[in-house]
Amino acid sequence: FGINTWNSGRMIFYEDLEKGVVSQVEVSETCSGYFSVAIFIAGFFSYIFHEYRILNIEVFLFLLLGLLGTYISNLIRMSVIISIGHLYGNEALLWSHENLGFILFTLWVFIFWSFILKYLPEGQTSKS
């Protein structure tokens, strides 16, 4: 995004334009997206086992696509949070950290489920 950032271990340093200083954030295990991936996997398999009751190559390809999207949405989340901190300061960074993950993850899940409902092969549902 053209922001001067650097890292050292789990610390990310960025220029805080609001205060005119270099600020830092620590990327902890909870920021890594593990919980988003776990929630996604649980939701995905719950849906597949309830509606399709099969595991085949298409299901696993959709799972891989979903995991890739979940990972990318978390990278976007972290990038946007740092960008907000850079432009608007630490208070805005903290607010976005508390709220942005849920918003982006929910948006991704809606997009993915729209995709899966449209493209997962029909005729395999348990209701057929």
Side-chain angles (χ1 to χ4, degrees):
F1 297 136
I3 297 172
N4 189 16
T5 62
W6 63 97
N7 73 301
S8 177
R10 295 178 2 176
M11 302 300 290
I12 297 176
F13 300 90
Y14 63 95
E15 295 174 309
D16 181 339
L17 297 180
E18 185 77 17
K19 292 183 181 173
V21 298
V22 172
S23 294
Q24 65 186 25
V25 293
E26 180 179 3
V27 179
S28 67
E29 187 174 306
T30 56
C31 298
S32 65
Y34 291 143
F35 294 121
S36 297
V37 168
I39 291 168
F40 181 85
I41 290 171
F44 180 83
F45 280 117
S46 295
Y47 176 76
I48 292 299
F49 290 146
H50 181 266
E51 293 295 321
Y52 290 85
R53 299 182 190 219
I54 65 165
L55 292 175
N56 59 22
I57 190 69
E58 289 90 7
V59 169
F60 284 109
L61 289 175
F62 278 103
L63 175 63
L64 290 177
L65 175 68
L67 291 175
L68 178 64
T70 302
Y71 177 76
I72 290 170
S73 73
N74 192 58
L75 288 177
I76 292 169
R77 177 191 70 89
M78 290 190 295
S79 299
V80 169
I81 288 171
I82 296 296
S83 298
I84 289 171
H86 170 71
L87 295 171
Y88 303 108
N90 193 49
E91 188 174 314
L93 178 140
L94 293 174
W95 184 90
S96 65
H97 182 266
E98 293 293 323
N99 297 290
L100 193 59
F102 174 75
I103 293 167
L104 285 176
F105 182 72
T106 302
L107 179 64
W108 163 243
V109 168
F110 282 134
I111 292 168
F112 179 77
W113 247 259
S114 296
F115 183 77
I116 200 170
L117 290 172
K118 185 174 182 179
Y119 293 106
L120 197 61
E122 291 185 29
Q124 301 173 13
T125 65
S126 60
K127 297 177 183 175
S128 296

